[in-house]
Each structure stands twice: as C-alpha cells, then as structure tokens.
Amino acid sequence: MNEVVLVNLPFIVVALLLAVGFYTIGFKRNLIKIVIGVEILEGAVNLFLIALGYVKGAYAPIYTMAPPQAENNMVLPTPQALTLTSIVIGVAVSALMLAFAVNIYRHYGTLDVIKIRRLRG
Amino acid sequence: MTTVIIKTTTKYLAALILTFGAYIIVHGHLTPGGGFQGGAVFASGLALLIVACEGDVIRERFKKVPLSALESVGALGFLGMATLGFMGYTFFRNVIANSGFPLFGEPTPLGINPGYLNTGGTLPYMNIFVGTKVLAGLTSIILVFYLLLEVRENE
Amino acid sequence: MRRALGLFAFIGFTLFLIAAAMSLRPFGEPVHTEMDHYFITHAQEEASANNVVTSIVFDYRGFDTLGEATVLFTAVAGVLMALRRRGVKV
C-alpha cells in the first residue's frame, strides 16, 4: 500500500488537483473563483499528460549537447507536444473567460452566480 | 499601480527579458523552447513595460504598433510556410531542409551534436511566425485589460 | 441540505479518483512507445531539427498546431470584441 502511494505519487497529486478544481467549480459562487478552478483543472490535466510520458532514468528529447548516454534513452516527446498545445489554448480560454466576467460585472454589478441568476434581464 | 520599484526594475530588466524571448524564438529548433514559449516570454516583457508607464504614454506609444496586423501576419505566414510543401510534396512537408538554401537550409548532422543555428528548414521560419502571432495576441489582451482599468478609474 | 448532499457526492468522487490513480500503471513505465521511439530515432533525418518536440509540433503534427493557432486567433478576437468599448482602441 505504502509502496503504491510512493510509486504513483504524481498520479495521486493529479487526483487531488482534480478534486480541488471540481470543488472550486461546484461550491464557490464568485465567477473569478470559478475561473481559477478551471485553471486548476487545466493544470491537473497538463501534469497528467506529462507524467504519462515519463520514462524512468531518461533524458530530455533534445539532441543539442546531450550527454552520450542519452542516445535512444529519451522521454516520450508526443505528450510534451500535446501539453504545449493545451497550455496555449488554456491561456487563450482563460483570457476569454475573464473578459466575459468583466462584461457580466459591468452589466449586473455583481459577480455572485446566484444573484446573477435572480437578476435576470 | 506605478511605483518607483517597478520603474527601476523595468529600466534594468525589460531589455534582458525581450532579448531572452527573441533568443528562445530563434533557437526553437535547437534548445528547449519555440515560438509559443518565446512569444509568451516576449509578451511578459512588454507587459512589464505596459505596467511601468502611465496610461496616456501607453496609449500614445502603442498607437504606432500595429498589433492586429502583426497577429494576422503571423497566422498567414505560418499558413504560407505550410503551403510551401506543395512544391512537389504534401502540406506541411519540410522542403527547405537539407536543400542548401542560404537561410536555415544547411543539412543537419545526425546524432548528438553541438547544434548549428543555420539548420532546420521551415521549422525556424514557423517558429518566428508563431512567435510574432503569440506575442501580438497576448500583448493586445494585456493592453485591453490595462486600458480598461484606466477607463474605470476616470469615470 | 442540497449542499450537504453535494459535499457527500464530492467526497465519494474524490475517493474514486484517488483509487483510480493508485490502480494505474506504475509511474515511469509507459506501455505503447513504438510511435515515440520512431519519432526519437527518425526526427533528425526527416524533420531536420535537434529538438524532437519542435519537430513533432511543427512537422509531424502540423495540423494540430494550425488548429491551435486558429483557436488563439479566435480567442484574441473574442476578447477584443468583448472589451472594445468606451474609446479603448488597440
């Protein structure tokens, strides 16, 4: 049991980060805090992708000035490329969400989700 | 928001951050980094410059910088570099690599090597175009939010 | 009452997540590595870049990057549309 926890520690950190993100989205009422929760979820997914691609004792997939034992002993590069895509899209989407939060605050005068639902129109 | 600390730090750090961003973009095919990361670093340096100045100065200086045009140029250049592959091959084919083209066209040595800047084919061009696009996009987002703050204060 | 019920479901979901994380394959031993091994051994002669991640992003998976650039463009256009009022000009 203890050994499994130690070996799979990155995946357990991912699970805890997912739990924090879902809690923030589900139980907080401020729109800015919900955006922060989405960002935490995105960080958890990125960490999961990177952790899936790790090979024990391997080197970074770059040939420039690599140590000689790095030949044919490299970390999987595809999850890193996918994570790069995901990070850029996350930045763009968070900027869009914050812009809509600003617009909602201008229109309703509050950021509370429940009050916004009552003040419809 | 503008204090003496931010102004002094910006005076010494902004040039270094901008140079580092350009280095990451241009060396994207040799060292860790690339267009997206280098563009983000460059945009953060520009964000430091934006925060350190007053609103009127910012508005006057950025009136001459065509940020939207830079973003469009980045996107169209990326697409154009991809379309170059139709010269005998398929979309996104790296046609410039190993062809002896004077800029970024030298052949790449196989295996572990010290890294030569003049290799890589279309990849450095795509890095530069994507870096331009990302830095223009992120800077315009930051600029819009900052100018919005100024507008709210004036009302 | 609804909040307590939601909290109960959330705790169950978290326990399920942690159990799933512990039953994954051990960290550092990925299963299907044929594609990545091909990329590592052939990236230098096919894409002619020392950085394997860059050659994947811009050469092997170029369409992915094209879509990503489109998403970034659309998001920036959306932000400028949502906030461009009251004399703010970029």
Side-chain angles (χ1 to χ4, degrees):
Chain A
M1 178 67 192
N2 204 3
E3 209 169 282
V4 172
V5 168
L6 272 187
V7 166
N8 273 351
L9 192 59
F11 296 138
I12 291 168
V13 171
V14 167
L16 291 180
L17 276 178
L18 279 177
V20 171
F22 278 123
Y23 178 82
T24 315
I25 292 178
F27 290 93
K28 292 292 177 185
R29 293 167 53 177
N30 195 326
L31 268 179
I32 303 288
K33 286 179 183 173
I34 291 176
V35 172
I36 292 175
V38 174
E39 291 296 305
I40 293 173
L41 270 186
E42 185 200 314
V45 172
N46 289 342
L47 180 61
F48 185 56
L49 271 173
I50 283 288
L52 275 184
Y54 181 70
V55 180
K56 197 164 281 180
Y59 291 82
I62 289 166
Y63 280 102
T64 308
M65 307 286 274
Q69 62 266 29
E71 193 113 33
N72 289 326
N73 184 20
M74 287 180 173
V75 173
L76 308 189
T78 314
Q80 298 196 9
L82 293 181
T83 310
L84 180 55
T85 309
S86 154
I87 287 174
V88 176
I89 290 179
V91 168
V93 168
S94 72
L96 198 58
M97 282 191 294
L98 285 175
F100 283 138
V102 168
N103 260 5
I104 285 172
Y105 183 78
R106 270 183 186 167
H107 193 251
Y108 292 106
T110 178
L111 279 175
D112 194 325
V113 187
I114 296 175
K115 280 184 191 165
I116 288 171
R117 196 185 296 156
R118 275 194 209 124
L119 289 174
R120 188 177 307 170
Chain B
M1 191 187 280
T2 306
T3 62
V4 178
I5 298 174
I6 292 182
K7 277 187 174 173
T8 314
T9 313
T10 306
K11 198 161 67 182
Y12 292 112
L13 273 187
L16 287 178
I17 294 177
L18 295 186
T19 314
F20 186 57
Y23 164 78
I24 289 182
I25 292 177
V26 175
H27 283 243
H29 58 296
L30 297 177
T31 53
F36 292 105
Q37 299 96 319
V41 172
F42 207 100
S44 67
L46 286 180
L48 198 58
L49 282 177
I50 288 173
V51 168
C53 291
E54 311 289 339
D56 301 333
V57 183
I58 291 292
R59 204 164 296 169
E60 192 171 325
R61 267 186 207 161
F62 273 89
K63 204 173 280 179
K64 293 173 197 155
V65 184
L67 282 176
S68 311
L70 273 182
E71 168 130 10
S72 306
V73 162
L76 288 178
F78 179 62
L79 207 54
M81 291 316 290
T83 317
L84 270 189
F86 279 131
M87 294 194 311
Y89 299 102
T90 53
F91 203 50
F92 274 109
R93 165 82 194 197
N94 198 342
V95 283
I96 301 181
N98 303 331
S99 72
F101 193 71
L103 205 54
F104 301 123
E106 299 286 321
T108 311
L110 294 185
I112 294 170
N113 58 49
Y116 303 105
L117 183 60
N118 203 6
T119 61
T122 52
L123 301 187
Y125 292 103
M126 284 181 181
N127 268 327
I128 290 169
F129 280 125
V130 168
T132 310
K133 179 176 160 49
V134 170
L135 83 89
L138 292 186
T139 309
S140 58
I141 287 176
I142 294 166
L143 195 60
V144 162
F145 273 103
Y146 187 72
L147 292 181
L148 187 81
L149 201 69
E150 293 280 319
V151 168
R152 293 298 291 183
E153 273 174 4
N154 288 341
E155 277 174 4
Chain C
M1 181 58 203
R2 276 179 63 190
R3 191 178 167 83
L5 209 61
L7 214 56
F8 184 71
F10 170 74
I11 288 172
F13 181 68
T14 307
L15 289 180
F16 168 74
L17 271 180
I18 290 177
M22 282 200 289
S23 66
L24 273 174
R25 279 186 63 82
F27 175 65
E29 300 171 15
V31 207
H32 299 293
T33 63
E34 295 87 11
M35 181 181 71
D36 298 275
H37 193 68
Y38 178 85
F39 285 158
I40 286 171
T41 48
H42 290 76
Q44 269 193 321
E45 48 179 308
E46 287 182 359
S48 86
N50 276 347
N51 191 343
V52 183
V53 177
T54 297
S55 59
I56 288 178
V57 165
F58 286 116
D59 195 293
Y60 292 109
R61 288 180 177 260
F63 280 100
D64 198 358
T65 310
L66 188 59
E68 175 190 6
T70 313
V71 168
L72 186 62
F73 191 87
T74 315
V76 171
V79 170
L80 294 188
M81 177 212 68
L83 296 180
R84 180 179 243 173
R85 274 180 211 161
R86 310 185 189 204
V88 177
K89 175 120 172 58
V90 175

